[in-house]
Amino acid sequence: MASYSFNSSTPYTKEGQRSLLSKTFLYMFAFLMVTVAVSFGLSAILNTVGIDERAYTIMLIVASISQLFLTIFIAITSIRAGKASLIPMILYSICMGVLISSFGFVLNWWTLASAFGIAALAFGAMCLIGMFAKNASGMGLVGFGLLISVLFASLFNIIFAILMPEVWAIQNIVTSIIIVIAIMLITAYDVWQIKAISARFAGEGNLAIYLAFNLYLDFIIILLHILRLIAVFSSDNR
């Protein structure tokens, strides 16, 4: 979870803690629903009405570039200004929906819905663990350690792709599985941190938005790699 400048003069209360937790998960759900609506809407258009391939490719490129600039903007405003801007995060959620819709070319709507369901179950289970854990810092350390290991391993992807394509395919599958496990552990850690933060700050809007966006990103990473695994195995079975 990135640094954030919190300023609060509101005294801590149990009601304030519950308010912050509820607002955080409510905003996170809202971000996710925007992504779901855009991804399923575009997938439906692709599979029924159809869309010009060149126009859709441009749309994906624009969404990717926009996400990059939005990520930088959100990071700067959150760390330096101490503010969580809602509109850029909604725009990021829209762009993510556009990118996820591309899985509609290889997966039907039922498979997409199943992937969302699997991701939701995995995410929800880790949220419960983080909420009731006395200390989840160990999960966070293991999760971040796995991500760093995967990052170093990915440096050899080009070598495997050129010299040993079969090994490269297996490595991609293993990498996605490890990333899913790592982010699940980090999700538990993030929720545990949110619970700890809520014990120090009252239910403030900007803080809840920022924390919600962190959880949203955890969910999206889990979802993307589940979709990637399903797409790989679906193509192998054709």
Side-chain angles (χ1 to χ4, degrees), residues 149-169:
S149 300
V150 169
L151 178 62
F152 280 111
S154 64
L155 298 176
F156 298 95
N157 275 353
I158 298 178
I159 298 175
F160 286 134
I162 297 174
L163 301 179
M164 295 176 285
E166 294 181 358
V167 175
W168 175 73

Side-chain angles (χ1 to χ4, degrees), residues 135-148:
N135 191 333
S137 57
M139 295 186 201
L141 287 174
V142 173
F144 285 115
L146 287 173
L147 281 182
I148 293 173

Side-chain angles (χ1 to χ4, degrees), residues 1-96:
M1 188 176 291
S3 301
Y4 188 92
S5 301
F6 300 124
N7 296 305
S8 175
S9 58
T10 308
Y12 163 75
T13 62
K14 277 288 185 181
E15 290 74 15
Q17 182 183 34
R18 286 194 293 267
S19 175
L20 179 58
L21 289 171
S22 60
K23 285 180 180 179
T24 296
F25 283 101
L26 183 61
Y27 278 120
M28 183 264 176
F29 182 76
F31 293 145
L32 184 58
M33 286 302 98
V34 171
T35 298
V36 170
V38 173
S39 61
F40 276 84
L42 275 177
S43 295
I45 293 174
L46 290 171
N47 292 321
T48 55
V49 180
I51 189 172
D52 181 71
E53 184 176 341
R54 181 178 299 178
Y56 184 68
T57 301
I58 294 174
M59 188 185 301
L60 292 176
I61 294 173
V62 171
S64 299
I65 296 174
S66 298
Q67 271 196 332
L68 176 61
F69 284 103
L70 287 169
T71 301
I72 296 172
F73 179 81
I74 292 170
I76 292 174
T77 55
S78 297
I79 296 174
R80 292 186 178 179
K83 294 181 180 179
S85 302
L86 182 60
I87 294 178
M89 293 179 182
I90 293 176
L91 293 175
Y92 185 98
S93 303
I94 293 173
C95 292
M96 183 58 68

